[in-house]
Amino acid sequence: MLAGLREVLEPAAAAGTGVGAFNVICLEHAEALVWAAEAAELPVVLQVSENAVLYHRSLKPIVIATVALARNADVPVVVHLDHVTDVDLVRAGLTLGATSVMFDGSRRPYEENVAVTADVVRYCHQRGVDVEAELGEVGGKNGVHSATARTRPDEAVSFVADTKVDALAVAVGSSHAMTERTTKLDLELVGRLAGAVEVPLVLHGSSGVPDGELVRAVRAGLTKINIGTHLNAVLTASVRATLTEQPRLVDPRKYLGPARDNVAVEAERLLRLLAHP
């Protein structure tokens, strides 16, 4: 069933549990993630990033397909536009059925970020769509952010009050696109942010965070946990293994099918891990 972001995050935040948010690049990702959520009997957030839209050269096919899968799912599935910097893309995504947006104004000066994000929030809320924003650049995005960046609790309180966002992504030591799970988070800061901010907190760049640290992060106060690169690594390793074993294989169903199944298994494991920290 198609769900809104607050619909799945607020109960989890109240219970002190986490919700998995995973990137959709191709249809196999979306299918695997829905199957994982149904097997775990847990909600999931399916994220279509601005970079994925650029890859497809269009927003429409990937969002329509993801929304269709969400509508037919047996569990709540959020279709989320991720790291959107283009306001026109926000508007287009909403017309196609996306139920939440992560508007990324983190590279803008603080006051400009607040003003533009607030405008996006007003536009989305008028249409029943929830908005996540980022305060404090999370490391690794396009190679320009610093993993040493930290979100200040006082600034986070002001930002949420001024923008009316429904969830806040914070910089606490993670970094995008990591292929090794070695990151240690600033959990003391997570606790202070969770105590100061009234909306659910989001961890971007979670692929580099090991299981135990993810559990501690959820216990400290993070709710939405974004994982993309890790599942891409699972998919790629499966495809590589299948083609190595069967080098004459040409039918993509024969290597994408097992890869999709392996992503579903790992996504289910992560959903259960986050929901029972």
Side-chain angles (χ1 to χ4, degrees), residues 67-148:
V67 168
L69 286 165
R71 289 190 191 279
N72 291 327
D74 296 332
V75 294
V77 178
V78 180
V79 177
H80 181 79
L81 302 180
D82 192 38
H83 280 290
V84 176
T85 61
D86 184 346
V87 176
D88 288 338
L89 194 61
V90 172
R91 297 189 181 102
L94 268 56
T95 66
L96 296 172
T99 54
S100 75
V101 173
M102 186 272 171
F103 181 73
D104 187 354
S106 61
R107 292 194 202 173
R108 301 171 185 261
Y110 177 79
E111 296 299 333
E112 182 182 344
N113 185 7
V114 169
V116 177
T117 301
D119 285 343
V120 170
V121 170
R122 281 191 290 271
Y123 180 87
C124 290
H125 282 181
Q126 289 169 359
R127 290 155 181 81
V129 170
D130 302 322
V131 180
E132 170 191 334
E134 181 178 317
L135 184 62
E137 293 181 303
V138 176
K141 185 70 174 173
N142 296 326
V144 298
H145 296 204
S146 170
T148 61

Side-chain angles (χ1 to χ4, degrees), residues 49-69:
S49 73
E50 191 168 287
N51 284 337
V53 174
L54 292 173
Y55 167 75
H56 287 287
R57 302 184 187 179
S58 174
L59 177 69
K60 193 170 185 178
I62 191 65
V63 172
I64 286 178
T66 304
V67 168
L69 286 165

Side-chain angles (χ1 to χ4, degrees), residues 180-229:
E180 296 183 3
R181 305 182 74 200
T182 57
T183 298
K184 291 190 70 66
L185 301 173
D186 189 340
L187 297 178
E188 187 274 334
L189 176 58
V190 172
R192 289 196 288 125
L193 287 164
V197 177
E198 295 184 354
V199 299
L201 298 179
V202 182
L203 180 66
H204 285 217
S206 305
S207 290
V209 184
D211 285 356
E213 192 77 348
L214 288 177
V215 168
R216 288 186 285 273
V218 172
R219 289 175 178 168
L222 291 167
T223 302
K224 178 173 176 279
I225 309 297
N226 289 15
I227 300 174
T229 301

